[in-house]
PDB file of all heavy atoms in Angstrom:
ATOM      1  N   LYS A 248     -29.888  12.241  10.861  1.00  0.00           N
ATOM      2  CA  LYS A 248     -30.540  11.548   9.782  1.00  0.00           C
ATOM      3  C   LYS A 248     -29.814  10.157   9.647  1.00  0.00           C
ATOM      4  O   LYS A 248     -30.438   9.145   9.482  1.00  0.00           O
ATOM      5  CB  LYS A 248     -30.437  12.234   8.446  1.00  0.00           C
ATOM      6  CG  LYS A 248     -31.206  11.587   7.343  1.00  0.00           C
ATOM      7  CD  LYS A 248     -31.226  12.459   6.180  1.00  0.00           C
ATOM      8  CE  LYS A 248     -32.047  11.687   4.992  1.00  0.00           C
ATOM      9  NZ  LYS A 248     -32.235  12.592   3.881  1.00  0.00           N
ATOM     10  N   LEU A 249     -28.574  10.156   9.755  1.00  0.00           N
ATOM     11  CA  LEU A 249     -27.736   8.943   9.652  1.00  0.00           C
ATOM     12  C   LEU A 249     -28.071   7.942  10.836  1.00  0.00           C
ATOM     13  O   LEU A 249     -28.311   6.854  10.693  1.00  0.00           O
ATOM     14  CB  LEU A 249     -26.180   9.281   9.599  1.00  0.00           C
ATOM     15  CG  LEU A 249     -25.232   8.189   9.458  1.00  0.00           C
ATOM     16  CD1 LEU A 249     -25.588   7.199   8.151  1.00  0.00           C
ATOM     17  CD2 LEU A 249     -23.834   8.698   9.321  1.00  0.00           C
ATOM     18  N   TRP A 250     -28.237   8.556  11.994  1.00  0.00           N
ATOM     19  CA  TRP A 250     -28.654   7.755  13.121  1.00  0.00           C
ATOM     20  C   TRP A 250     -29.922   7.109  12.990  1.00  0.00           C
ATOM     21  O   TRP A 250     -30.010   5.845  13.361  1.00  0.00           O
ATOM     22  CB  TRP A 250     -28.647   8.775  14.400  1.00  0.00           C
ATOM     23  CG  TRP A 250     -28.837   7.989  15.715  1.00  0.00           C
ATOM     24  CD1 TRP A 250     -30.087   7.867  16.395  1.00  0.00           C
ATOM     25  CD2 TRP A 250     -27.952   7.234  16.410  1.00  0.00           C
ATOM     26  NE1 TRP A 250     -29.811   7.085  17.441  1.00  0.00           N
ATOM     27  CE2 TRP A 250     -28.567   6.670  17.575  1.00  0.00           C
ATOM     28  CE3 TRP A 250     -26.531   6.951  16.194  1.00  0.00           C
ATOM     29  CZ2 TRP A 250     -27.930   5.924  18.548  1.00  0.00           C
ATOM     30  CZ3 TRP A 250     -25.905   6.157  17.222  1.00  0.00           C
ATOM     31  CH2 TRP A 250     -26.704   5.635  18.248  1.00  0.00           C
ATOM     32  N   ARG A 251     -30.912   7.738  12.386  1.00  0.00           N
ATOM     33  CA  ARG A 251     -32.143   7.065  12.171  1.00  0.00           C
ATOM     34  C   ARG A 251     -31.989   5.804  11.301  1.00  0.00           C
ATOM     35  O   ARG A 251     -32.597   4.650  11.620  1.00  0.00           O
ATOM     36  CB  ARG A 251     -33.152   8.079  11.571  1.00  0.00           C
ATOM     37  CG  ARG A 251     -33.828   8.965  12.554  1.00  0.00           C
ATOM     38  CD  ARG A 251     -34.935   9.786  11.822  1.00  0.00           C
ATOM     39  NE  ARG A 251     -34.700  10.448  10.712  1.00  0.00           N
ATOM     40  CZ  ARG A 251     -34.166  11.711  10.655  1.00  0.00           C
ATOM     41  NH1 ARG A 251     -34.035  12.455  11.768  1.00  0.00           N
ATOM     42  NH2 ARG A 251     -33.958  12.310   9.554  1.00  0.00           N
ATOM     43  N   ALA A 252     -31.220   6.009  10.283  1.00  0.00           N
ATOM     44  CA  ALA A 252     -31.016   4.875   9.358  1.00  0.00           C
ATOM     45  C   ALA A 252     -30.275   3.762   9.948  1.00  0.00           C
ATOM     46  O   ALA A 252     -30.346   2.587   9.547  1.00  0.00           O
ATOM     47  CB  ALA A 252     -30.231   5.388   8.134  1.00  0.00           C
ATOM     48  N   LEU A 253     -29.469   4.077  10.949  1.00  0.00           N
ATOM     49  CA  LEU A 253     -28.695   3.070  11.699  1.00  0.00           C
ATOM     50  C   LEU A 253     -29.484   2.274  12.875  1.00  0.00           C
ATOM     51  O   LEU A 253     -28.999   1.375  13.332  1.00  0.00           O
ATOM     52  CB  LEU A 253     -27.421   3.568  12.407  1.00  0.00           C
ATOM     53  CG  LEU A 253     -26.373   4.111  11.340  1.00  0.00           C
ATOM     54  CD1 LEU A 253     -25.166   4.797  12.157  1.00  0.00           C
ATOM     55  CD2 LEU A 253     -25.788   2.974  10.481  1.00  0.00           C
ATOM     56  N   THR A 254     -30.572   2.970  13.197  1.00  0.00           N
ATOM     57  CA  THR A 254     -31.203   2.470  14.399  1.00  0.00           C
ATOM     58  C   THR A 254     -32.714   2.064  14.178  1.00  0.00           C
ATOM     59  O   THR A 254     -33.382   1.493  15.189  1.00  0.00           O
ATOM     60  CB  THR A 254     -31.200   3.437  15.548  1.00  0.00           C
ATOM     61  OG1 THR A 254     -31.750   4.677  15.177  1.00  0.00           O
ATOM     62  CG2 THR A 254     -29.735   3.655  15.995  1.00  0.00           C
ATOM     63  N   LEU A 258     -35.617   0.801   8.418  1.00  0.00           N
ATOM     64  CA  LEU A 258     -34.510   1.354   7.576  1.00  0.00           C
ATOM     65  C   LEU A 258     -33.311   0.507   7.435  1.00  0.00           C
ATOM     66  O   LEU A 258     -32.637   0.392   6.441  1.00  0.00           O
ATOM     67  CB  LEU A 258     -34.200   2.867   8.100  1.00  0.00           C
ATOM     68  CG  LEU A 258     -35.305   3.720   8.075  1.00  0.00           C
ATOM     69  CD1 LEU A 258     -34.958   5.067   8.796  1.00  0.00           C
ATOM     70  CD2 LEU A 258     -35.822   4.040   6.594  1.00  0.00           C
ATOM     71  N   ILE A 259     -33.012  -0.129   8.529  1.00  0.00           N
ATOM     72  CA  ILE A 259     -31.763  -1.075   8.605  1.00  0.00           C
ATOM     73  C   ILE A 259     -31.993  -2.121   7.524  1.00  0.00           C
ATOM     74  O   ILE A 259     -31.113  -2.483   6.863  1.00  0.00           O
ATOM     75  CB  ILE A 259     -31.611  -1.609   9.994  1.00  0.00           C
ATOM     76  CG1 ILE A 259     -31.255  -0.586  11.011  1.00  0.00           C
ATOM     77  CG2 ILE A 259     -30.441  -2.801   9.873  1.00  0.00           C
ATOM     78  CD1 ILE A 259     -31.319  -1.083  12.428  1.00  0.00           C
ATOM     79  N   TRP A 262     -30.922  -1.132   3.912  1.00  0.00           N
ATOM     80  CA  TRP A 262     -29.540  -1.063   3.487  1.00  0.00           C
ATOM     81  C   TRP A 262     -28.653  -2.198   4.024  1.00  0.00           C
ATOM     82  O   TRP A 262     -27.603  -2.456   3.515  1.00  0.00           O
ATOM     83  CB  TRP A 262     -28.940   0.276   3.994  1.00  0.00           C
ATOM     84  CG  TRP A 262     -28.823   0.480   5.449  1.00  0.00           C
ATOM     85  CD1 TRP A 262     -29.703   1.007   6.380  1.00  0.00           C
ATOM     86  CD2 TRP A 262     -27.596   0.159   6.345  1.00  0.00           C
ATOM     87  NE1 TRP A 262     -29.211   1.024   7.596  1.00  0.00           N
ATOM     88  CE2 TRP A 262     -27.948   0.497   7.641  1.00  0.00           C
ATOM     89  CE3 TRP A 262     -26.393  -0.486   5.944  1.00  0.00           C
ATOM     90  CZ2 TRP A 262     -27.072   0.164   8.675  1.00  0.00           C
ATOM     91  CZ3 TRP A 262     -25.510  -0.697   7.071  1.00  0.00           C
ATOM     92  CH2 TRP A 262     -25.865  -0.389   8.342  1.00  0.00           C
ATOM     93  N   LEU A 360     -26.635   2.371   2.147  1.00  0.00           N
ATOM     94  CA  LEU A 360     -26.930   3.189   3.166  1.00  0.00           C
ATOM     95  C   LEU A 360     -27.124   4.705   2.610  1.00  0.00           C
ATOM     96  O   LEU A 360     -28.067   5.493   2.817  1.00  0.00           O
ATOM     97  CB  LEU A 360     -26.056   3.171   4.310  1.00  0.00           C
ATOM     98  CG  LEU A 360     -26.222   4.199   5.538  1.00  0.00           C
ATOM     99  CD1 LEU A 360     -27.552   4.079   6.233  1.00  0.00           C
ATOM    100  CD2 LEU A 360     -25.187   4.060   6.549  1.00  0.00           C
ATOM    101  N   LEU A 364     -30.219   7.217   2.347  1.00  0.00           N
ATOM    102  CA  LEU A 364     -30.296   8.500   2.835  1.00  0.00           C
ATOM    103  C   LEU A 364     -30.689   9.633   1.934  1.00  0.00           C
ATOM    104  O   LEU A 364     -31.381  10.520   2.113  1.00  0.00           O
ATOM    105  CB  LEU A 364     -28.977   8.860   3.432  1.00  0.00           C
ATOM    106  CG  LEU A 364     -28.550   8.073   4.735  1.00  0.00           C
ATOM    107  CD1 LEU A 364     -27.107   8.299   5.034  1.00  0.00           C
ATOM    108  CD2 LEU A 364     -29.408   8.514   5.948  1.00  0.00           C
TER     109      LEU A 364
END
Side-chain angles (χ1 to χ4, degrees):
K248 184 172 183 176
L249 183 53
W250 185 258
R251 282 192 304 272
L253 293 174
T254 59
L258 296 176
I259 296 168
W262 67 270
L360 173 60
L364 293 169

